[in-house]
Amino acid sequence: MTGAGSGGDRPARLRLFVAVTVPEGIRATVDEAVAPLRAEAPELRWTAAEGWHLTVWFLGGVEPDRVQDVEAGVARVAATGHPFTLRLSGTAGTFSSVLWAGIEPAPMLEELARGLATWFGDEMERPFHAHLTLARTDGARRPLKELAERYEGPTAPWTVRHLALMRSRLAVGGSRYEVCNEWPLGLPSSMPG
Ligand code: ATP
Ligand code: MG
């Protein structure tokens, strides 16, 4: 008899995804812009600012003994890229149950997503649409679109220098995320001399 929800004797899989993290200063200004909406719709599941990220590729459950291979793949794809400027669009949008902050078009981010899709041998299920998840709803109690229209967020740019492998863990009050490892974008420049 196995414990409920456990995989029996098998080691637990890790829920992994590849992402770009959002610097603290940007998170703080987005947090300010989101505060009034949060106050107005406390019934939504609002994400915590400290965990904000942009998912580039979602891996799902990974066996512990496969993590090294995954890391090697992410490192390889990161090396094919280069540092780039990212900026939020200052506007929000919605998927069916998600309220998100948008970003300005970022070809490098799309290239990294395609690289990861190729490396991990999957088709991209749908066109890549980078977004910062602000809130989720379990039902259609409140039209998210109305909140999205009122969001006026920051558009300050930042430089993305790393691709991160992140892990999520289910927790009361929302998933918790941690950076397992990260790799610089681009090959290290050769030392002079
Ligand atoms: P929860 O599932 O508890 O509501 P979450 O969706 O943030 O929280 P995960 O499901 O572990 O936590 O997802 C981790 C990250 O990967 C999130 O940014 C999420 O939006 C993204 N993600 C999850 N599933 C997919 C998927 N099938 N395709 C693309 N991105 C995904
Ligand atoms: Mg999820």
Side-chain angles (χ1 to χ4, degrees):
M1 173 129 174
T2 59
S6 85
D9 291 327
R10 314 188 73 189
R13 290 172 170 228
L14 291 83
R15 193 169 172 89
L16 302 180
F17 59 102
V18 180
V20 159
T21 55
V22 181
E24 207 280 327
I26 304 284
R27 282 190 269 124
T29 49
V30 174
D31 199 31
E32 265 177 51
V34 170
L37 304 181
R38 227 185 241 135
E40 201 181 308
E43 76 279 13
L44 298 181
R45 287 190 290 132
W46 293 91
T47 53
E50 62 178 15
W52 282 343
H53 61 268
L54 298 156
T55 298
V56 186
W57 185 253
F58 181 72
L59 288 150
V62 174
E63 302 282 350
D65 63 5
R66 281 220 49 236
V67 171
Q68 262 194 320
D69 286 349
V70 166
E71 291 198 330
V74 180
R76 286 285 282 272
V77 173
T80 66
H82 54 73
F84 62 100
T85 299
L86 198 57
R87 75 175 80 221
L88 294 169
S89 61
T91 59
T94 62
F95 299 141
S96 55
S97 61
V98 173
L99 173 70
W100 44 263
I103 61 161
E104 291 295 332
M108 187 71 241
L109 202 58
E110 289 173 29
E111 218 175 281
L112 292 168
R114 273 197 302 273
L116 291 163
T118 303
W119 185 270
F120 290 107
D122 283 315
E123 294 284 313
M124 287 183 78
E125 285 169 27
R126 41 200 137 133
F128 176 62
H129 189 287
H131 61 278
L132 197 170
T133 298
L134 299 175
R136 295 188 174 84
T137 174
D138 295 322
R141 274 168 293 180
R142 174 187 298 263
L144 291 178
K145 282 203 166 91
E146 188 193 302
L147 288 172
E149 279 161 18
R150 289 214 303 287
Y151 172 82
E152 263 183 79
T155 58
W158 77 93
T159 304
V160 178
R161 299 183 193 280
H162 296 90
L163 201 52
L165 180 64
M166 297 185 69
R167 174 176 186 187
S168 82
R169 299 170 197 258
L170 291 180
V172 178
S175 289
R176 295 266 154 204
Y177 315 106
E178 70 189 58
V179 173
C180 302
N181 212 335
E182 57 178 13
W183 296 269
L185 293 172
L187 294 168
S189 51
S190 51
M191 301 289 282

